Amino acid sequence: MKRETQNLLLLLIGAAVLWITLDGSYLRYVKPSLYLYLLVSGVGFVLLAMVAIIRDIRCGKAFDERDYAFGRGDGLGGGDVLDRDHGHEHGSGRAQWLLLAPAAALLLIAPPALGAGAAVTSSPVQVAPRDLPAAQPKLLAFPPLPPEPAPTLPIVDLVERALQDSSHSLDGREVTIRGFVIRPKDLEQQHPDAPDADLARVVITCCVADARYVLVHLAGMREVIEDDAWLEVRGVVETGSAQRDPDRTPTFAVSDYRRIEAPDRPYERGR
């Protein structure tokens, strides 16, 4: 790869990292605590690219001045010698330019956050092992719920409480959850008018490479909601529904819901 291509690739990568960091879209790919690392990395890439470009420009000028001093490239035949001596540096290969495409694409078209479309290729969060259906998940002492009516809980916290809370803090308690809609594909194909749906969030530990889905079944929906629509839902977890479900997914009896905008931080944090 020519040095010009290397420098341009380094500059594009740095610019892309800075772009997604400063406009907040990095939250589609990594956890918020990596902001400073991305910012420093982007600035470092751009500075390295600029230093390399300036150095090459200066070296190129010095090279031209040296050639002129030795009488090369002045019509006396020296130019042919120079071309023969350095012809290996001016290859015509173009495949390396394809490396610029991903960085340039990230500047122009930022991929969206994971949603319903990627659920079929990702694994659900496993609070209890699925390969041991008869085994009961280990019970833990969870902190009490906030005292206000219908406190807001992360979906991953609600699922863990439904399966493992020894104090049964969710029994009969109305809570609020937020997430995006996933319509079961078999139900959507066989009964497209059925309002049944799941409410989901993507859970990451570090970045989308370790992304998993955590969801609850919604019971009592009054209309069909399309995939990826974000909802704020109030309701009560049906007691024992998570233990009865093969996928350890609780059922959430809906009392009210409303559409909301997708949050700036679309992912929940896993333990």
Side-chain angles (χ1 to χ4, degrees):
M1 181 186 294
K2 292 183 179 180
R3 288 192 56 84
E4 294 87 347
T5 309
Q6 295 174 359
N7 296 339
L8 182 57
L9 180 60
L10 195 61
L11 184 61
L12 278 177
I13 291 175
V17 172
L18 278 178
W19 181 275
I20 64 172
T21 302
L22 296 176
D23 74 354
S25 58
Y26 77 99
L27 294 172
R28 303 175 186 176
Y29 321 116
V30 298
K31 60 184 181 180
S33 59
L34 294 179
Y35 172 84
L36 184 59
Y37 297 97
L38 291 173
L39 186 63
V40 172
S41 299
V43 172
F45 279 132
V46 171
L47 289 178
L48 285 175
M50 295 305 298
V51 169
I53 291 172
I54 293 173
R55 183 186 61 188
D56 287 350
I57 292 175
R58 289 179 175 177
C59 289
K61 289 182 178 179
F63 186 76
D64 292 340
E65 291 173 357
R66 187 173 65 250
D67 290 342
Y68 185 79
F70 280 98
R72 296 177 179 176
D74 56 358
L76 301 177
D80 294 335
V81 175
L82 181 64
D83 288 340
R84 288 195 301 270
D85 291 341
H86 301 280
H88 62 279
E89 295 182 359
H90 302 281
S92 58
R94 299 177 181 176
Q96 63 267 24
W97 287 96
L98 295 177
L99 296 174
L100 301 177
L106 190 58
L107 284 171
L108 300 175
I109 307 172
L114 295 178
V120 294
T121 62
S122 300
S123 301
V125 172
Q126 295 300 309
V127 179
R130 295 180 60 182
D131 54 348
L132 297 174
Q136 293 298 320
K138 182 180 179 180
L139 297 182
L140 303 172
F142 281 75
L145 293 175
E148 68 263 20
T152 300
L153 295 180
I155 290 184
V156 66
D157 185 30
L158 181 136
V159 171
E160 290 176 346
R161 285 177 180 270
L163 277 169
Q164 297 180 289
D165 189 3
S166 58
S167 63
H168 303 283
S169 60
L170 292 177
D171 289 358
R173 183 72 187 274
E174 189 174 51
V175 296
T176 303
I177 54 177
R178 298 187 181 102
F180 59 88
V181 171
I182 295 180
R183 294 263 296 161
K185 297 307 176 186
D186 54 347
L187 179 68
E188 190 174 22
Q189 294 172 359
Q190 299 175 12
H191 304 284
D193 296 330
D196 295 1
D198 296 330
L199 197 71
R201 290 295 292 266
V202 175
V203 177
I204 66 172
T205 302
C206 177
C207 62
V208 292
D210 56 44
R212 298 173 295 163
Y213 283 69
V214 58
L215 49 86
V216 299
H217 301 312
L218 299 180
M221 295 294 292
R222 299 184 294 274
E223 61 178 319
V224 176
I225 305 292
E226 70 277 6
D227 279 350
D228 287 320
W230 280 82
L231 301 178
E232 181 180 85
V233 184
R234 293 179 61 173
V236 178
V237 174
E238 294 184 2
T239 302
S241 58
Q243 287 78 7
R244 296 190 298 268
D245 188 87
D247 293 325
R248 308 289 191 181
T249 302
T251 298
F252 196 75
V254 177
S255 58
D256 192 20
Y257 64 90
R258 66 182 182 93
R259 291 177 179 262
I260 60 174
E261 294 293 328
D264 294 332
R265 297 184 178 184
Y267 305 138
E268 291 185 354
R269 286 292 310 279
R271 289 187 173 89

